[in-house]
Amino acid sequence: MQLTKTGSVPLATLLAAEAMNVLDATITQVAGPAIHADLGGPASAIPWFGAAYTLPFAMLLITGGRLGDLLGRRRVFLCGVAMFALASLCCALAPGTGVLIGARAVQGMAAALVIPQTFGLIKAMFSGPALASALGWNGPVVGLSAVSGPLLGALLTDLVSWRAAFLVNVPISLAVLMAGRLLPEDRAEHPVRLDVQGTLLASLGMGLVVYPLLDRWNWALFGAGAAVLVLFGFHQRNRRHPLVEPSLFEHRGFPAALAASTLFFAVMNGLMLVVVLHQQLDEGLGVLASGLTLLPWSGGLAISSWVAGKWLVPRHGSRVAFAGLALLLAGILLALGGTLPIALGIGGLGLGLFTVPFFTAALSVVRPQETGSAAGLLNAVQQIGATLGIAVFGTVFLHGHSVVRAFALAAVLVVATMIATALMPRTRDLATPRRP
C-alpha cells in the first residue's frame, strides 16, 4: 500500500491511538496536586497518579508485542483500545484515590496492548518509500504527544476539571474502534507459543527496577530487579520460542537504538518535569501558566517534525538525527544562561529532528519475525527512560531546587545519546528494511 488517501486513514487511526496512549503517560504531571485536592488521601499518592500507568505499561509492552505476533495485531490492537476506553471512563468517574490509581493501572495494561501493534501494522500496510514516510510520522507523534501531555492536562484541569483529561479519551477511542475495520489483520508468519515464564521474569524485573526509582530509591530492590533481568536474558537464550528474539542483538544497531531511546526519553521527560516544577515552586505560577511554559518546546517539535519528514530526512537520512541532538544540546546550554523560552524553542526543534528518523533507523535492522519483540522493546525502554528521567531529574531539582544541575545533567545525557546514535545504522535510504 502506498501512502495515499486510502492508506492515510488507517495510518491516522493507528497514530491517533498511539498519541492518546502516550499523552496519558504524562497528562497528570501538572494536574496531580489538583487531583489530590479533590479526592483527598495521602500526599504520597500524587506520584502514583502517573506511575500507576507507566509501571504496567513498561512491564507488559514486550508481552503485548508478542501477543500481536500470536493472535493478530489488529485483534490485539482493537481489544486494547476498547479496554483503554473503559479504564479512561473509570478514571474520569473515580470517587477516590484508590479507584483512580487502580483504573490508571488498567489503562497502562491496555496501552501495552495497543502501542506495539502500531509498528507491525504500519509495516504490513506499507512498503518502500511509503513505509519510510509512514514510520516517519511515528516519531513526531510520540514526541509531540509526550511533551503535550502536561500542557493538555493543565488546560483541561484549569478550564474544565481534571476529570476531563480522562473523559476526552472515550470519544477518541470510539472513533478509533470504528475506523479499525480498515486495518488489515497481520500476525507472524510462523506463530509461536507465548513464553509465560519469560513474561513473568521480564515483568518482575522491570517492576523491581522502576518501582524503587519512584518510591524511596530502594537500591536493594533495584539490584534485585537488575538480577532478575539478567536471569531473564539467560532464560531467553535457551528457549525455543523466546519472548524476545535473541537475533535482535546480533547486530549492534538495535542495542544501540535501545540505549539511545532510553537516554533520549529520559532527557525529554525529565526536563519537562523540571521546567514545570521550577515554574510552580520557584516562580509561583499556577497550573495553567506553568503548563503554557512548555509551549515553545511543543511548538518547536511540531515544526521541526514536519520539516524533517517532508524535506530533510528524504534527502539526508539518519544524519538528521545528529543535527537534532546538536540542537537539543544547544537549547540546554542556552537554558543554563537563563533564556528559558528561547532555549525551550531550540530544544523542541531538536526533538523533532531526532524523532523523525530515529524509529525508522531503529527498525531498519529488524526482520519480519522480529517485529513484535522489537516494537515491544523499543516502547518498553522508552517508558523506562521516561520513568528514569522523572525520578532522577526530579530528585536533582528538588535537592536544593537547582535548575542548573538538572540542565547540566541533561547536557551530559544528550552527549551519551549522540554516542549511542552513532552506533545505529547510518544510511540515506531509511526505507529499506533488513531482509530475512
Side-chain angles (χ1 to χ4, degrees), residues 1 14 28 51 100 111 123 187 234 250 282 358 367 373:
M1 183 185 294
L14 294 173
T28 59
L100 176 61
K123 293 188 75 173
R187 69 184 71 202
F234 283 108
E250 294 174 357
D282 296 341
F358 171 75
R367 301 182 180 98
S373 290

Side-chain angles (χ1 to χ4, degrees), residues 7 39 66 112 118 124 182 205 219 256 258 374 403 415-416 423 435:
L39 297 182
R66 179 59 82 194
T118 58
L182 300 176
W219 292 110
L258 296 180
V403 177
V415 173
L423 299 175
R435 296 296 180 186

Side-chain angles (χ1 to χ4, degrees), residues 204-384:
L204 178 61
M206 288 186 186
L208 289 174
V209 166
V210 174
Y211 175 82
L213 298 178
L214 292 161
D215 190 5
R216 301 179 183 179
W217 287 72
N218 189 319
W219 292 110
L221 285 179
F222 185 89
V228 172
L229 289 177
V230 171
L231 178 61
F232 168 73
F234 283 108
H235 173 270
Q236 293 296 283
R237 294 177 60 183
N238 300 318
R239 299 292 295 180
R240 182 180 178 185
H241 302 301
L243 182 65
V244 175
E245 295 289 346
S247 57
L248 285 172
F249 298 91
E250 294 174 357
H251 190 287
R252 72 179 187 183
F254 191 74
L258 296 180
S261 181
T262 302
L263 294 166
F264 176 78
F265 284 99
V267 171
M268 187 175 75
N269 287 271
L271 285 184
M272 281 195 300
L273 177 65
V274 167
V275 170
V276 170
L277 289 176
H278 171 65
Q279 296 299 318
Q280 291 191 20
L281 300 180
D282 296 341
E283 303 296 329
L285 299 182
V287 173
L288 180 58
S290 62
L292 290 174
T293 303
L294 295 172
L295 195 56
W297 186 255
S298 304
L301 172 59
I303 294 170
S304 62
S305 296
W306 180 71
V307 172
K310 190 170 182 63
W311 289 297
L312 297 180
V313 173
R315 294 182 181 181
H316 305 289
S318 59
R319 287 182 292 177
V320 177
F322 289 96
L325 292 174
L327 267 181
L328 177 57
L329 181 60
I332 291 170
L333 295 177
L334 188 60
L336 291 172
T339 54
L340 189 59
I342 297 175
L344 289 177
I346 294 175
L349 291 173
L351 295 178
L353 292 182
F354 177 81
T355 54
V356 170
F358 171 75
F359 287 100
T360 308
L363 290 173
S364 67
V365 296
V366 174
R367 301 182 180 98
Q369 68 269 23
E370 299 167 339
T371 299
S373 290
L377 275 172
L378 275 174
N379 284 283
V381 299
Q382 175 185 325
Q383 292 305 313
I384 291 173

